[in-house]
Amino acid sequence: MPASDVREAGQSLPAYRRSAVDVAASLHVDLAHGLSSEEARARLERDGPNALEQEPPTPLWQRFLAQFKDVLVILLLAATAISAVLWVFERDAALPYEAIAIAAVVLLNAVMGFVQETRAESAVAALSEMSAEHAHVWRDSRPLRVPSTDVVPGDILIVEAGDTVPADARVIESAALQTGEAALTGESVPVSKHAHPIAADTDLADRANMIFGGTIVTYGHGRALVVETGMRSEMGRIAGMLTRVPVETTPLQEELNRVGRTLGVVVVIIAIVMIATIILVEDVRGLRPLLDVLILGVALGVAAVPEGLPAVITAVLSIGVQRMARRHAIVRHLRAVETLGSASVIASDKTGTLTKNEMTVREVVTASGRVELSGTGYTPAGKMTDVDGGTVTGALRTEVERALTIAACANNAVVQQRDGRWIVDGDPTEGALIVAAAKAALDRAALERRFSRIEEVPFSSERKLMTTIHTDAESRDRLLIFSKGAPDVLLSLCARELRGDEATPLTEERRREILHANDALAGRALRTLAVAFRALERREHAGHFDDRVERDLVFAGLVGMIDPPRAEAKEAVRRARRAGIRPIMITGDHPATAAVIAAELEIAPEPQAITGAELDAMDDAVFAQAVRQAPVYARVDPGHKLRIVRSLQADGAVVAMTGDGVNDAPALKTADIGIAMGRTGTDVSRRAADMILADDNFATIVAAVEEGRAIFSNIRKFLRYLLSSNIGEVMTMLFGVLFAHALGLRAGGSGLILPLLATQILWINLVTDGAPALALGLDPPDPALMRRRPRSRHDRVVTPRMWRGILFVGAVMAASTLFVLDLSLPGGLVPGSGSLVYAQTMTFTTLMMGQLFNVVNARSDERSAFHGLFRNGWLWAAIVSSLALHAAVVYIPVLQRAFTTTSLSLRDWLICAAAASVVLWSRELSKLAARAIGSRSSGQP
């Protein structure tokens, strides 16, 4: 019977709310004998393998071709085709230089993008990698080892510590069974499992009689009845969410597409108007004159479209990615870099992100008072102080040392240093107790030498206790019973309490005080354990030990522990707030724990959290209002996380979602930028994310935001530069043709004469647009970036203020360039005496130098170009290299023939430089006027 039919056969309740016998009956399996091999094969054939569906990988050739979908790239390809066709008709050069150059730029951009994105995300494949390779099942009345893919609903799993659970299963037997579910539910400590039905509907994290596929058995052993496999399991449900999440475009991508479409329309309109005007005014007839007019159209297209823009953006993002990597932020998806800089919300997981995912003992309460322990995580560094920060002495120290001795001895974990990090092999709670003992100067090796363990009564979820029996090297006639467990349970087994060195009677009033102290610890979101002991004369017991020794105990104290916040996380939260970013916490952990951690980190003004159950009860309007205000969400599942992220996005937020678990993967993929943990994160979360934190440090997120803002600011700088420079080229060509007679240009027998040749325009775009624009992408970040609010999702990358500056600079550049053209030709408004080749070379040089002056302008729309003029050495190197390359075109004979240039004198260079510098001085005056009248644009670099 398929697992999906378990609740259809007259059973309306889920498996965790019913008895194991009832669930087995629904699945038609005998708990004593298990499935027969024949029945298992039949179910496998009917229900399919216990595996997650995977989308077929995209072929490499398709990934490569996808690089050519950009609107700008399509425009360039069209220009390439037209230029190549015209060259076939014209044959006016040895090679089609325009077509070759444009194709080379497009190919370079495609290769760079392909290399950056060739490792496409494969989160569903990573989920499969988490599955156990083999499973132990009870079939045909005997244990069998089978491939995990062959596990079917109705199989009885046999699990023990260290096993990966292959499928979702209902626990039928538990011997101290615990599983680590942090990757699935966000629960920071192992979860104890039992076989009893749960009376009410509950969240995934609270289904203590269920074990889930992909989680790890950390302690004990047991048996469980498989109820869901493959895509029907909780892991499969997450995989399904991942496949349904659409791929979102970033604001930068959307803006570049808009700019591309705008430029395309402008080019077509200008070309049509110009061609129609020339044909009518010049009375163009015949094929050759028509081809000359079409060449003009190509030249205008080349002038309008910034060929280097896609490649420069890719290169700048790549360099930014490398710079982020040096700050431990590894970006997987190149174009998502700028999104991080505009993030307005950081929706952070708690466990392993804001906290260390390492349990830490913070307080120990004994009869004489309370002590605090400093330090976080498993590093055995810290000190023990009293509540006033003083040294712990006297009876209090004796009691605390005795309590931590018990905790360290009734313990099966091992704390060791590996690859420079302290880690725990075993239960994290037990590891925390060992570290706490070390902080109290109790050496575990010395304790083990004195208190040699001879037997253990293991922990069970029913007893909620663990007891170990030890010899005492200092008293060979006695044994010592060390117990630890749930405070209410252990306290009921105690008859006395440790005060100093003596055991005194435990009164009812004192019991109430201890339980009150336990509640106070729990109120601060500390997980509590009690420890107790008693001495046993050897002659009193000579046989096997069992839980009957857990009586007449001496209560030693309470231990309070927590997965603590990272030390640097609080300042990171403050920096985020100063930058206008709203931090929120979304976790699967307990609400009390989440609320206390959030309040401690100043994410929330007071310790309170909204639970997943409360979210389920809200309609869409109430939900949207809650998400707009509430900073902390606890006991949420993947569906809740997705809904929260989407609600934030619908409200206009740019969401950066952080997480480390499998349960975070769908939200990571849906968020504007998903950020996974590199150390503690699962492979699933890393592959679903756009960025990975190599050091798992929340503070690195804020550093990455700063880098992202700097990258975006620099992208705006070179967009300002490229667009104004190319508009200057368009205006030069446009007005050069419209006012050809006034400027001294004449139509000769070979057709229409242009101010510049298409190859010259393309050379300017490739040489002056490329290196200087790339150098602008390396401009040092403005210190004020992190004091500005993030830009809105709806803000344009190229703002109206930027467009005004771009058009102004383009007009000035065209005017100064055409002035030099007129000056260099006989006739026109200004008398000259040069040849056409000389005049075009002077025009070519002036326009090129005007763009080099413009690159200094483009560093800000409001600050003077002389502010921090020499901070960017790369920019000056780019300017010098561009001048050198242009000089090569002007003076090297072979390049002179290719680009139709002639040598210039020093006087010529000075004239070109003086005319080109007008771009700088005019823009400085406009900025000065703007600053004077206070027309400052908020958030503008």
Side-chain angles (χ1 to χ4, degrees):
M1 183 174 201
S4 59
D5 294 340
V6 171
R7 289 185 294 276
E8 295 177 7
Q11 301 289 348
S12 59
L13 296 177
Y16 69 87
R17 295 194 60 187
R18 294 150 52 201
S19 69
V21 172
D22 191 14
V23 176
S26 298
L27 289 166
H28 301 285
V29 60
D30 187 328
L31 292 179
H33 302 289
L35 295 174
S36 66
S37 296
E38 293 78 8
E39 177 63 19
R41 280 193 296 270
R43 294 190 183 196
L44 182 63
E45 183 176 347
R46 181 184 61 213
D47 297 332
N50 178 35
L52 302 180
E53 296 174 1
Q54 299 185 32
E55 294 181 0
T58 305
L60 293 179
W61 65 270
Q62 288 187 12
R63 293 183 197 166
F64 184 72
L65 289 181
Q67 308 300 319
F68 298 92
K69 292 181 179 179
D70 189 276
V71 176
L72 288 173
V73 173
I74 292 172
L75 281 174
L76 296 177
L77 292 175
T80 303
I82 295 172
S83 180
V85 169
L86 291 175
W87 177 81
V88 170
F89 282 98
E90 281 292 294
R91 299 285 180 173
D92 57 350
L95 292 170
Y97 293 109
E98 297 95 336
I100 292 173
I102 297 173
V105 173
V106 172
L107 183 63
L108 174 63
N109 174 64
V111 170
M112 292 179 69
F114 176 76
V115 169
Q116 285 293 333
E117 298 179 3
T118 189
R119 293 183 178 179
E121 55 188 326
S122 53
V124 176
L127 282 166
S128 296
E129 292 169 10
M130 287 192 65
S131 299
E133 293 184 1
H134 288 84
H136 291 89
V137 298
W138 185 262
R139 289 182 186 169
D140 299 321
S141 301
R142 60 190 178 94
L144 293 175
R145 187 171 184 263
V146 301
S148 63
T149 53
D150 290 352
V151 171
V152 297
D155 261 327
I156 298 173
L157 298 177
I158 304 171
V159 294
E160 59 184 20
D163 287 351
T164 299
V165 180
D168 293 0
R170 170 69 163 83
V171 176
I172 55 179
E173 290 180 9
S174 171
L177 181 64
Q178 295 182 2
T179 60
E181 298 179 358
L184 183 64
T185 67
E187 182 66 49
S188 55
V189 296
V191 180
S192 297
K193 299 296 181 179
H194 60 75
H196 310 300
I198 296 174
D201 285 330
T202 187
D203 295 325
L204 191 69
D206 295 320
R207 295 173 191 173
N209 59 4
M210 296 289 296
I211 57 177
F212 302 103
T215 62
I216 306 295
V217 178
T218 60
Y219 193 84
H221 58 88
R223 297 198 307 156
L225 180 63
V226 174
V227 295
E228 302 286 8
T229 60
M231 293 299 292
R232 295 179 297 274
S233 67
E234 290 298 328
M235 198 74 73
R237 189 164 67 91
I238 295 173
M241 291 180 185
L242 288 175
T243 59
R244 293 191 296 270
V245 173
V247 178
E248 301 288 342
T249 56
T250 70
L252 178 61
Q253 288 174 300
E254 294 171 358
E255 181 72 359
L256 291 179
N257 286 335
R258 280 193 294 266
V259 170
R261 288 190 295 269
T262 302
L263 289 176
V265 171
V266 169
V267 168
V268 171
I269 292 174
I270 290 176
I272 291 174
V273 170
M274 285 296 300
I275 291 171
T277 301
I278 292 170
I279 290 175
L280 293 174
V281 174
E282 301 290 340
D283 193 24
V284 176
R285 296 179 182 178
L287 179 61
R288 182 56 181 267
L290 284 174
L291 288 176
D292 287 340
V293 176
L294 289 177
I295 290 174
L296 169 62
V298 173
L300 287 172
V302 171
V305 178
E307 289 87 353
L309 181 56
V312 170
I313 286 178
T314 302
V316 168
L317 290 176
S318 298
I319 293 168
V321 164
Q322 295 172 15
R323 200 160 60 190
M324 282 180 153
R326 288 194 290 271
R327 299 182 76 168
H328 307 293
I330 302 168
V331 175
R332 295 186 64 246
H333 300 140
L334 196 60
R335 294 223 178 210
V337 173
E338 58 89 18
T339 312
L340 183 66
S342 57
S344 57
V345 174
I346 298 178
S348 176
D349 185 34
K350 178 187 74 68
T351 305
T353 309
L354 290 164
T355 66
K356 294 176 68 70
N357 197 19
E358 297 177 353
M359 293 301 294
T360 302
V361 173
R362 281 196 167 175
E363 297 183 26
V364 179
V365 179
T366 66
S368 299
R370 177 167 60 93
V371 301
E372 298 176 348
L373 286 85
S374 64
T376 61
Y378 300 137
T379 303
K383 61 180 181 178
M384 182 173 67
T385 61
D386 61 25
V387 291
D388 297 321
T391 303
V392 180
T393 58
L396 179 58
R397 184 174 189 88
T398 300
E399 294 163 4
V400 171
E401 287 181 348
R402 190 74 61 88
L404 291 178
T405 294
I406 297 167
C409 290
N411 199 307
N412 292 320
V414 176
V415 179
Q416 58 186 328
Q417 195 170 21
R418 188 181 301 164
D419 298 328
R421 295 181 61 211
W422 287 91
I423 62 171
V424 169
D425 289 333
D427 184 274
T429 299
E430 293 193 332
L433 296 172
I434 295 172
V435 173
K439 293 175 182 178
L442 297 172
D443 180 66
R444 194 186 187 195
L447 293 177
E448 289 178 342
R449 285 193 298 270
R450 176 181 173 185
F451 304 110
S452 179
R453 185 190 300 191
I454 59 173
E455 200 159 342
E456 173 184 343
V457 182
F459 174 89
S460 74
S461 56
E462 290 79 15
R463 296 189 313 109
K464 299 182 180 180
L465 296 175
M466 173 190 179
T467 297
T468 54
I469 298 90
H470 304 257
T471 60
D472 184 356
E474 295 183 2
S475 180
R476 297 186 180 278
D477 293 332
R478 71 171 183 174
L479 300 175
L480 289 173
I481 310 298
F482 291 159
S483 296
K484 74 176 192 300
D488 55 339
V489 175
L490 190 60
L491 188 62
S492 67
L493 301 174
C494 294
R496 292 171 294 168
E497 179 182 20
L498 182 68
R499 286 186 177 273
D501 278 327
E502 297 182 2
T504 61
L506 190 59
T507 64
E508 287 303 315
E509 181 182 358
R510 183 59 190 146
R511 289 179 190 273
R512 287 193 294 272
E513 290 176 354
I514 293 172
L515 291 175
H516 179 73
N518 183 67
D519 291 341
L521 293 174
R524 295 194 291 277
L526 297 178
R527 299 179 184 271
T528 58
L529 276 176
V531 289
F533 73 100
R534 78 179 176 103
L536 180 69
E537 296 296 327
R538 279 181 179 268
R539 62 177 178 271
E540 292 182 26
H541 203 292
H544 175 71
F545 292 90
D546 55 30
D547 59 6
R548 286 174 293 181
V549 300
E550 296 168 341
R551 57 181 176 81
D552 296 329
L553 299 175
V554 179
F555 187 83
L558 296 170
V559 179
M561 64 188 73
I562 196 171
D563 176 18
R566 292 180 176 272
E568 61 280 357
K570 189 171 186 176
E571 177 56 29
V573 168
R574 288 175 176 169
R575 287 194 66 207
R577 289 193 181 281
R578 285 196 295 268
I581 301 169
R582 176 191 172 204
I584 65 175
M585 178 192 291
I586 307 176
T587 179
D589 210 345
H590 194 278
T593 305
V596 168
I597 294 295
E600 189 169 331
L601 292 175
E602 299 180 2
I603 291 175
E606 54 187 30
Q608 60 182 14
I610 294 179
T611 65
E614 291 170 335
L615 291 175
D616 286 333
M618 298 177 183
D619 60 30
D620 290 342
V622 175
F623 185 93
Q625 182 64 26
V627 169
R628 216 172 276 128
Q629 297 176 348
V632 186
Y633 306 86
R635 277 292 187 258
V636 295
D637 63 23
H640 294 129
K641 293 185 180 185
L642 272 177
R643 192 180 175 196
I644 291 169
V645 169
R646 286 172 176 162
S647 180
L648 289 166
Q649 291 172 327
D651 201 38
V654 176
V655 182
M657 169 73 193
T658 72
D660 61 352
V662 175
N663 59 328
D664 296 319
L668 289 175
K669 194 172 181 182
T670 301
D672 296 281
I673 181 161
I675 307 171
M677 301 298 107
R679 286 183 178 175
T680 59
T682 61
D683 197 26
V684 179
S685 62
R686 288 193 292 267
R687 294 195 186 187
D690 300 292
M691 190 179 84
I692 300 169
L693 300 183
D695 59 356
D696 286 12
N697 193 333
F698 183 82
T700 302
I701 300 172
V702 181
V705 167
E706 183 178 14
E707 287 289 352
R709 288 189 176 189
I711 290 169
F712 182 73
S713 173
N714 289 344
I715 287 174
R716 270 186 164 170
K717 292 176 185 178
F718 69 68
L719 279 174
R720 185 185 296 121
Y721 166 67
L722 289 175
L723 294 176
S724 59
S725 296
N726 282 61
I727 284 177
E729 295 168 14
V730 170
M731 290 184 174
T732 298
M733 296 297 293
L734 176 62
F735 294 113
V737 171
L738 290 177
F739 302 108
H741 292 283
L743 295 170
L745 289 172
R746 292 290 185 270
S750 60
L752 186 68
I753 298 173
L754 303 175
L756 291 169
L757 301 177
T759 50
Q760 293 172 342
I761 290 290
L762 185 60
W763 176 259
I764 292 176
N765 283 2
L766 287 176
V767 175
T768 64
D769 284 10
L774 186 59
L776 279 175
L778 300 175
D779 225 26
D782 185 346
L785 279 174
M786 292 300 285
R787 294 194 294 271
R788 299 170 181 161
R789 295 194 63 79
R791 72 181 185 91
S792 167
R793 175 189 292 275
H794 305 294
D795 286 351
R796 294 292 181 89
V797 180
V798 183
T799 64
R801 179 193 178 104
M802 284 179 65
W803 276 120
R804 290 192 295 271
I806 286 167
L807 292 172
F808 174 78
V809 169
V812 172
M813 189 181 298
S816 60
T817 301
L818 291 175
F819 170 79
V820 172
L821 173 66
D822 189 10
L823 183 67
S824 304
L825 286 171
L829 299 176
V830 182
S833 58
S835 66
L836 177 61
V837 173
Y838 167 77
Q840 286 178 329
T841 304
M842 290 287 286
T843 305
F844 184 24
T845 302
T846 303
L847 186 56
M848 182 276 303
M849 296 185 75
Q851 295 194 13
L852 295 185
F853 279 108
N854 185 34
V855 76
V856 183
N857 277 333
R859 294 177 61 241
S860 176
D861 235 3
E862 55 186 44
R863 284 198 309 268
S864 169
F866 298 98
H867 178 80
L869 184 61
F870 298 104
R871 285 202 310 160
N872 188 349
W874 291 107
L875 186 61
W876 289 101
I879 291 172
V880 171
S881 64
S882 294
L883 284 169
L885 288 170
H886 185 77
V889 169
V890 171
Y891 293 111
I892 297 175
V894 65
L895 295 179
Q896 285 179 334
R897 289 191 295 273
F899 290 93
T900 316
T901 60
T902 188
S903 299
L904 299 178
S905 66
L906 177 60
R907 176 178 175 275
D908 294 332
W909 279 94
L910 291 175
I911 291 173
C912 293
S917 69
V918 175
V919 172
L920 174 63
W921 306 121
S922 62
R923 190 71 180 109
E924 280 295 292
L925 289 174
S926 70
K927 290 180 184 178
L928 181 62
R931 291 195 299 271
I933 62 176
S935 58
R936 188 176 300 238
S937 178
S938 175
Q940 185 71 16

